[in-house]
Amino acid sequence: MGLLSYRAADEDDVGLLVGWHADPEVWRYWDGETFTDEEMRERLARPDVDIWIVEDDGAPVGMLQSWWEPDLPKRGGIDGFLVPSARGRGVMPAVARRLALDMLAQGWAEVTVDPYEWNERAIRGWEKAGFVEVSRGNPPDEDHSAEWVLMRFSG
């Protein structure tokens, strides 16, 4: 693991993001969602979601996104994935922790994540990043196709 960072995704990342989402080792964790270039451009333009490219020594290895609720105090969550070759090395916990700390430093009141219960690897990764379980067994809803775990960043 080299120097880890994240940066805002932009138009130049559309092909990369579309390709990542087309990989079965990525989309199986994202409810099978895949996107066209145009759909990804629309996703990048959403006013209430920021998409970030995770980099390891300057090489793109994954994506984070942060979203927020419209009401104050500002609170919301993050989601993310790594390409398979970047997994298991502590990349996501380190970068997700940095993003969560940056969000709190910018005045956010709360940062959460909501992995699926069946994704124990993600739950362990979020715990390593500083998230603690708040509730488990939350039923499927408009954003989840299976039961999920609510976790809150505790620093």
Side-chain angles (χ1 to χ4, degrees), residues 37-101:
D37 286 5
E38 186 55 37
E39 289 169 331
M40 187 55 67
R41 283 184 192 91
E42 291 172 8
R43 292 181 69 76
L44 286 171
R46 292 177 294 176
D48 57 351
V49 178
D50 289 323
I51 297 180
W52 311 97
I53 300 296
V54 176
E55 295 182 332
D56 185 356
D57 272 339
V61 296
M63 183 196 93
L64 282 166
Q65 67 179 12
S66 53
W67 55 269
W68 53 90
E69 298 172 358
D71 301 326
L72 293 177
K74 195 169 187 179
R75 62 183 80 232
I78 59 178
D79 302 292
F81 64 79
L82 294 174
V83 297
S85 63
R87 295 177 187 159
R89 299 185 287 127
V91 172
M92 185 57 81
V95 177
R97 179 179 182 78
R98 187 173 306 151
L99 176 59
L101 287 168

